[in-house]
Every structure is written in C-alpha cells, then in structure tokens.
Amino acid sequence: MSSTIWSVDEHLDDILAAVRPLEPIELQLPDAQGCVLVKDVVVEVALPPFDNSSMDGYAVRIADVEGAGEEFPAVLTVIGDVAAGSAGLADDQVVGPGQAARIMTGAPLPAGAEAVVPVEWTDGGTGEGPAAAMRAHSDAPEGATGEVRVHRPVVARAHVRERGSDVKPGELALAAGSVVGPPQIGLLAAIGCSTVVVRPRPRVVVLSTGSELVQPGETLTGGQIYDSNSFALTAAARDAGAIAYRVGAVADDAETLRATIEDQLIRADIVVTTGGVSVGAYDVVKEALSSVGDEDEPGGGVEFRKLAMQPGKPQGFGSIGPDHTPLLALPGNPVSAYVSFELFVRPAIRALMGLTDVHRPTARARLSADKALTSPDGHRQFLRGRYDAEAGTVTPVGGSGSHLIAALAQADALIVVPEDVTSVEPGTETDMILLS
C-alpha cells in the first residue's frame, strides 16, 4: 500500500479515467430493459396510426346530433359495428346523414363520421333510458342495427384520437443516452421497434473475504459473523443498473482468493471485493492481488491506497486478467464497504453503462442534531442521515463507527463533512448525497 494519502476526488478520477463504456449490442426489447440507448430512435409509424375512438359509443355526424337532449333525442339509424382491430365498415359504407356506426374504443373512425358519442349519452339502441354500458355483441348482435337515441350533442372530433397525435413519422422518439425502462419499452413497441442498439448492463461480480464469514441461515460458532457485505453490495450493484453475481465468502487464503477471482472473470465486466485491504496479517486481498499485473498494459495491476476519508480509508483499484477487467477492492466493515460502493463503484458501473451523469443527486439541508458533529481534520467524512425534504433538514442516524450497520438501514442520505471542517454546529447548512 502506498504511503501517499489520496483524496476522494483523486481516487474517483483515476477510476473513471480507466473505465470505458461497454461496446454496443443490438438487443430484443425485453432484454434491453435497464440498458442505455446508443442511437437516436426516430419514429417511422405514426402513433396512433389512424384516427380512432377513445370511447365505446357511436360514430356520428355533428349536424345530426346538434341540439339533442333527453326530452328530444336525435334518432339515428345504426348501419353497423366497428370493432378494435377491424378495418372498419365495408369499403362502400359511409356514415351518412341520419346515420351512426356503433364503435368500440380503439376502433378506426369510419368514413363520414366526425365525432364519437359515448354510449352513456345514448339509449344504447334499447329504446329505453340512458345506457350504463354497451351490451356485448355476442349477447345483442342486433345492437349493430336498428336505431339509437342520442341524448347530448358533441363537437367536431370529440372523443377521437387523431392519427399522429402522440408522435408523427420523422419525430425523435427517444434520444441516445436514454435509459430503457418500462415506459420506453412500451413506446418502442408501439412504434414498431423490435430491437434497439444499446450498451448492455454491466456484469458485476461481488465477493467477500474472511474466514470468519458464515452464510445467513447457517449456525454461528465462536468468532464467526454472518456475511452481510456481499448481499448488500450485490443489491447495490443491481440498484445501480448492473447484472450482479454474488460469490460466497472466500476464506483468508491468497491462492484460493486469486483462483476464485480468475474463475469469475469470464462473467465479469467489473469485480468488487470487500475485506482484506487494510494492514492486518490476514488481509489477503492485498496479498493475492498486489503482484497481479497486466503485462501487456502499462500501469495494469491493482494498487492499494489510503484515502483521506472516513469511513473507508483503505481502498484498492486496478485491472486484472486478459481483458483488463476493472477491480475495486473495498474495506470489510459494512458501513465502509457501502459508503465506498456509493462513492466509487456506483459511478464506475454507470460509466460502463455509457451514462454521462454517473453520480447520485446531491442537496443541501440544515443539520438537525442535539450537538455539533465532529470530523477529523484533513479527512472527508460521510455520516448516515435521514433527510426531511419538507423541513429542509437532515438528522444523523447512528454513530460514526464503520461497523454500525443498523443505522445504515435507516439512512437515506450521506452527510458530507469537508476535509477542512472539524465541527458542524446544529442548524448549519451541509451537503448531502441522496441515496434514494
């Protein structure tokens, strides 16, 4: 480990300078969820592709229902049905004077019609009072013939969704750099796109180190603890947009760790380890990886550093294997590991995705606390907090100990105390990183 003390920004800059966005691939829509578009998507088919009804009702001419009321309804001859998915009325059929066509939501507006009257504004062809709903065609096929009484007038184009009213051919549907989420997939499908060119979601392999670690659900014996870090960081990687793989905890043996990491490289765009990066006799990540280099790439290998931050002082970063896979080695204390992930790994994942804004949102709020917060001189401190957006305040939760994971579960922000500040008084405005 270098004796140089690195700043948080220097370490992050080194990571982001070394991480390149993944190569674009063409994916089917269901597989593109969570990915970032590489190319603009331009509309080729108007949406909707034809004038269609937004209601179940009757397609009519405006003049035929002008002045219609419940006492003196307009009586129209029904010439047929227009169902969603159909081509409409026969080619030789036109809604003429005194006529109407029964129409369903999404069905094309027939020729001659100028608006749609909702079925609730009519007698539904029953000859009785206002209809609550349209009777099913299978139950009452005669509803497509006979007469309908219309109790209210409509204006031109009422209840009609016009062709291209959503998007028109030639318009930009989605810009390059957009994340493909459920609404975007819906739009792409609606305009006829079956595939898109995207950068794939990064594959992140997470593994914990330590002979003391036991899988949740197993029985603890003397000196053992449950492995929480690999679960938390795998979840954090997925939250960042990655496909994450959790590896069971690796014992404190350098050869075993090196072999495990090498086995995982086939499915990794980035490797994240937690534990084994400090100065103890059993800190095997340093032992296993300090001598590993990329012989054909200057500056390759993993470098271990001390950072001017709390928690998370010991950190490692570099690249390993034939494909120069980035590896970030995080501390083993749960809070240190999670804070380090948010500061360094999450931005790296977002950079691999091809996003330009890789950071969590930030905000400023007044400190709500019983006493001043203290921070070591020369170190940037990250404290867990609860943010009240309405009040504009942030309240510390838990102490500064890097093992206090219970408080982490209650936090939705990290309170940032700069390197040159050693005390923050209650009521002082402070910077925050928002975690949700």
Side-chain angles (χ1 to χ4, degrees):
M1 183 179 287
S2 170
S3 59
T4 303
I5 303 296
W6 297 74
S7 73
V8 172
D9 295 334
E10 288 171 337
H11 187 61
L12 178 58
D13 287 346
D14 274 1
I15 293 170
L16 294 181
V19 173
R20 297 287 180 269
L22 299 177
E23 289 299 314
I25 59 175
E26 186 172 6
L27 292 178
Q28 298 287 327
L29 287 190
D31 300 323
Q33 184 171 352
C35 298
V36 176
L37 283 176
V38 173
K39 299 179 179 179
D40 290 345
V41 177
V42 176
V43 179
E44 295 184 3
V45 177
L47 187 65
F50 48 83
D51 290 354
N52 68 88
S53 177
S54 65
M55 306 285 286
D56 294 329
Y58 292 86
V60 300
R61 292 158 49 98
I62 301 303
D64 291 337
V65 296
E66 187 175 359
E70 289 194 21
E71 186 176 355
F72 298 104
V75 182
L76 306 177
T77 301
V78 181
I79 62 172
D81 262 356
V82 187
S86 72
L89 296 174
D91 291 341
D92 60 348
Q93 281 187 299
V94 176
V95 176
Q99 295 180 334
R102 192 169 68 162
I103 193 168
M104 315 305 154
T105 302
L109 188 71
E114 299 169 320
V116 173
V117 177
V119 66
E120 296 87 350
W121 297 5
T122 76
D123 67 351
T126 64
E128 301 173 0
M134 190 173 288
R135 297 178 67 191
H137 178 81
S138 58
D139 292 338
E142 69 278 2
T145 60
E147 293 181 337
V148 63
R149 287 165 173 76
V150 179
H151 303 141
R152 291 175 60 177
V154 288
V155 298
R157 312 302 289 177
H159 310 298
V160 174
R161 298 184 288 221
E162 295 192 18
R163 178 183 184 274
S165 57
D166 195 346
V167 289
K168 295 178 174 62
E171 290 183 346
L172 179 66
L174 294 172
S178 301
V179 178
V180 181
Q184 289 74 31
I185 288 177
L187 173 58
L188 291 166
I191 61 176
C193 293
S194 61
T195 64
V196 284
V197 178
V198 296
R199 297 193 192 277
R201 295 167 62 197
R203 300 165 301 163
V204 179
V205 171
V206 178
L207 59 90
S208 293
T209 65
S211 299
E212 76 279 13
L213 299 177
V214 174
Q215 295 300 296
E218 298 180 6
T219 302
L220 294 177
T221 58
Q224 294 182 325
I225 59 172
Y226 289 121
D227 172 19
S228 62
N229 282 2
S230 66
F231 286 91
L233 299 186
T234 300
R238 289 175 181 148
D239 182 69
I243 298 170
Y245 304 104
R246 190 190 68 85
V247 181
V250 180
D252 290 322
D253 179 79
E255 289 301 323
T256 301
L257 176 60
R258 188 181 293 115
T260 300
I261 291 175
E262 288 174 353
D263 287 344
Q264 294 296 323
L265 291 180
I266 193 172
R267 63 171 182 174
D269 295 309
I270 186 170
V271 176
V272 179
T273 67
T274 171
V277 296
S278 192
V279 294
Y282 292 90
D283 287 330
V284 297
V285 174
K286 283 197 303 176
E287 182 183 351
L289 301 179
S290 289
S291 61
V292 175
D294 297 325
E295 296 179 359
D296 57 344
E297 181 172 319
V302 179
E303 180 181 358
F304 292 87
R305 299 171 170 176
K306 295 178 181 177
L307 267 59
M309 63 180 286
Q310 187 183 59
K313 181 179 180 180
Q315 300 283 337
F317 170 68
S319 60
I320 59 173
D323 296 324
H324 316 301
T325 304
L327 182 145
L328 282 84
L330 311 183
N333 279 317
V335 177
S336 300
Y338 182 73
V339 169
S340 300
F341 182 98
E342 288 292 332
L343 296 180
F344 306 124
V345 183
R346 183 184 173 92
I349 290 172
R350 308 289 279 179
L352 285 169
M353 294 174 67
L355 291 167
T356 53
D357 185 4
V358 300
H359 301 288
R360 288 278 199 185
T362 59
R364 288 181 64 81
R366 298 187 315 278
L367 178 65
S368 174
D370 296 331
K371 59 182 180 180
L373 299 181
T374 59
S375 183
D377 187 26
H379 286 66
R380 188 179 304 179
Q381 189 174 44
F382 300 90
L383 297 168
R384 288 137 288 170
R386 289 286 300 174
Y387 176 44
D388 185 335
E390 186 173 339
T393 60
V394 62
T395 305
V397 291
S400 60
S402 57
H403 64 292
L404 300 174
I405 193 171
L408 185 60
Q410 306 301 319
D412 59 9
L414 293 177
I415 302 169
V416 183
V417 183
E419 289 87 343
D420 59 351
V421 175
T422 58
S423 179
V424 182
E425 296 293 330
T428 303
E429 275 214 342
T430 183
D431 290 320
M432 300 177 302
I433 298 171
L434 304 179
L435 301 178
S436 60

